[in-house]
Amino acid sequence: MTQARRRPSAALVTAATQVHVRRAYADGRQGQLHLTTAYPSGGGFDERTPLICLHPAGASGRWFNALLPELGKDRSVYAPDLPAHGQSDPAGAVLGVTDYIAAMGDFLDGMRLRAADVLGHGLGAVVAAELATQRPEQIRRVVVIADEAGRKPQAAQQTARIEGSRVAALNQPVLLLYPSEAGVAQRRPDATKPQHTVTALPHSVEDLYGSQVKELARVLLGFLG
């Protein structure tokens, strides 16, 4: 079981936005995955491409609590807890990135999603990039949110992978977002394809998921369409 990671403080707000936010479970090869879902109060699941949000190592789908009501106004949004994270089933052995990728593949298949966009932060971005590589016809757009520079050695290693050849090789439209701590001037990759966009935001990660969540949602929705 991974150590719990502090998430940005935020509360779920649904009344003003008319978005339903619910908890659920999905079956997979690593047991049951816990997830939080958001969707318009009137349904409308097919109005926009569904979005899968994948959290950093040591966190859970709760990482996106404040963002879900902002994004779920016109599309279904899913924030699963990766295996052995949050309220998903514990693992019988140490899991690696390939296990998380396989579990998210099971989730996509179980939900019978013909197309999906995927957003990943830290470890979640590594999983998102690999899913997009393996499922180019199913994953439509990819958002990568870089982890903060210097937070933890593990996070730094994951970020190096995010910014490596997998993301650069993706043929889908990709948005790489860098919070203020992420050192965008020193660490951002070259945009090697015209469909890849690199954007720096002048906010901390905690603010992006808290006081500046509407700004983050605006940027994301502008890219996702």
Side-chain angles (χ1 to χ4, degrees):
M1 179 74 72
T2 56
Q3 293 183 346
R5 177 173 174 175
R6 185 174 64 87
R7 65 177 178 86
S9 59
L12 285 174
V13 180
T14 60
T17 57
Q18 295 298 304
V19 175
H20 288 307
V21 179
R22 298 287 187 268
R23 296 167 57 189
Y25 285 88
D27 293 326
R29 71 186 68 191
Q30 301 296 341
Q32 285 197 316
L33 291 177
H34 174 266
L35 64 143
T36 306
T37 68
Y39 54 91
S41 58
F45 294 101
D46 296 324
E47 291 184 18
R48 293 288 189 275
T49 303
L51 175 66
I52 314 297
C53 298
L54 302 176
H55 60 78
S60 71
R62 289 173 58 85
W63 187 263
F64 303 103
N65 268 7
L67 188 59
L68 292 179
E70 298 296 328
L71 299 180
K73 296 175 182 179
D74 62 358
R75 74 197 67 211
S76 52
V77 186
Y78 305 92
D81 299 351
L82 292 172
H85 287 71
Q87 297 181 59
S88 290
D89 284 349
V94 176
L95 300 181
V97 173
T98 55
D99 298 305
Y100 301 135
I101 296 165
M104 289 304 100
D106 290 345
F107 175 72
L108 288 168
D109 292 341
M111 295 298 296
R112 298 182 179 179
L113 297 177
R114 291 175 294 178
D117 296 328
V118 62
L119 177 155
H121 186 149
L123 172 62
V126 177
V127 176
E130 293 288 348
L131 279 175
T133 299
Q134 295 179 13
R135 295 169 176 247
E137 301 300 323
Q138 187 177 26
I139 303 301
R140 186 187 70 123
R141 290 176 179 258
V142 179
V143 178
V144 168
I145 300 180
D147 216 342
E148 304 91 319
R151 178 180 282 272
K152 290 181 181 179
Q154 183 186 28
Q157 293 170 8
Q158 292 160 358
T159 302
R161 290 196 60 186
I162 295 166
E163 298 169 358
S165 60
R166 281 301 190 193
V167 170
L170 292 176
N171 291 317
Q172 296 97 326
V174 177
L175 174 64
L176 297 105
L177 285 180
Y178 286 84
S180 59
E181 307 103 317
V184 60
Q186 291 77 30
R187 295 172 51 245
R188 74 179 183 184
D190 293 330
T192 57
K193 295 184 178 181
Q195 66 268 38
H196 294 184
T197 303
V198 178
T199 300
L201 296 176
H203 308 293
S204 69
V205 167
E206 184 164 352
D207 285 346
L208 282 178
Y209 292 112
S211 63
Q212 299 298 319
V213 70
K214 290 185 182 296
E215 172 64 10
L216 176 58
R218 182 190 67 79
V219 172
L220 293 175
L221 292 175
F223 171 72
L224 296 173

